[in-house]
Amino acid sequence: MAEGSGNVNVSPGDLPPGDPQLIGMIVEHLKNHGLFDEFRRDCLADVDTKPAYQNLRQKVDNYVTSHLSTQDWNPSINKNQMRNGLRQSVVQSGMLESGVDRIITQVVDPKMNHTFRPHIETAIHDFLSVEKRDDGAFSSNSAPSEQLELQEAPAASGPKTP
């Protein structure tokens, strides 16, 4: 197989863990099953209740009010130009970057291990199981316990002990 050839007929089972093509296939699978949309909805439902969001919103509101108070208003002013100048000023202030980081810490991080990771692991397991079944990887040569383990193995559970 040629490295980086972009061959879409490559089986995920033929690719090593961490391979960019395998990662791309998994991400596409997750997107197609609406997992990212579900995560986004879940986070957006919580974001406006968090102190980091409320704090950032107040900072931006105050900054905009202060900025606009220094502008001379007249009916012929180019509103788009003023809006773009304000947007650039807010971005350059750095408040968005630090505020968004705090929002992520308060909204996304708590959901990472208990909500997102289990859903992602299940979806990846399902993806790899379906691909293996499609490729005929579950042959009659495999012991039934091996087939069951491949189908039901908990993802990222660490090494197994007998």
Side-chain angles (χ1 to χ4, degrees):
M1 171 177 84
E3 186 100 9
S5 65
N7 185 354
V8 293
N9 294 326
V10 173
S11 169
D14 295 338
L15 299 171
D19 182 275
Q21 191 174 0
L22 176 61
I23 292 170
M25 293 166 81
I26 291 171
V27 167
E28 194 61 33
H29 175 77
L30 297 174
K31 285 180 180 179
N32 289 340
H33 285 82
L35 212 51
F36 292 127
D37 291 333
E38 180 182 331
F39 293 163
R40 186 180 66 247
R41 282 189 301 268
D42 190 21
C43 288
L44 288 175
D46 288 348
V47 77
D48 61 348
T49 64
K50 301 298 181 188
Y53 170 80
Q54 294 165 351
N55 185 29
L56 179 59
R57 182 177 175 133
Q58 186 64 44
K59 280 184 179 179
V60 171
D61 285 347
N62 291 340
Y63 190 90
V64 168
T65 300
S66 174
H67 180 82
L68 291 177
S69 70
T70 65
Q71 303 297 313
D72 293 327
W73 172 255
N74 69 52
S76 64
I77 197 165
N78 185 333
K79 294 174 192 166
N80 286 332
Q81 189 174 11
M82 181 181 279
R83 188 178 301 122
N84 288 335
L86 175 59
R87 184 178 297 121
Q88 286 176 350
S89 181
V90 168
V91 169
Q92 289 171 354
S93 74
M95 78 174 87
L96 291 180
E97 188 173 325
S98 63
V100 169
D101 286 343
R102 284 191 288 272
I103 291 170
I104 290 171
T105 299
Q106 290 182 7
V107 176
V108 178
D109 289 352
K111 296 176 186 298
M112 191 62 71
N113 289 324
H114 300 293
T115 304
F116 300 157
R117 180 164 282 141
H119 279 83
I120 291 170
E121 288 173 350
T122 300
I124 290 171
H125 181 265
D126 292 347
F127 170 73
L128 293 175
S129 295
V130 167
E131 290 296 324
K132 286 183 180 185
R133 271 187 239 120
D134 289 348
D135 292 343
F138 294 124
S139 66
S140 58
N141 296 338
S142 299
S145 63
E146 289 174 353
Q147 292 175 1
L148 182 62
E149 192 174 296
L150 284 172
Q151 291 173 338
E152 297 179 1
S157 63
K160 292 186 179 187
T161 55

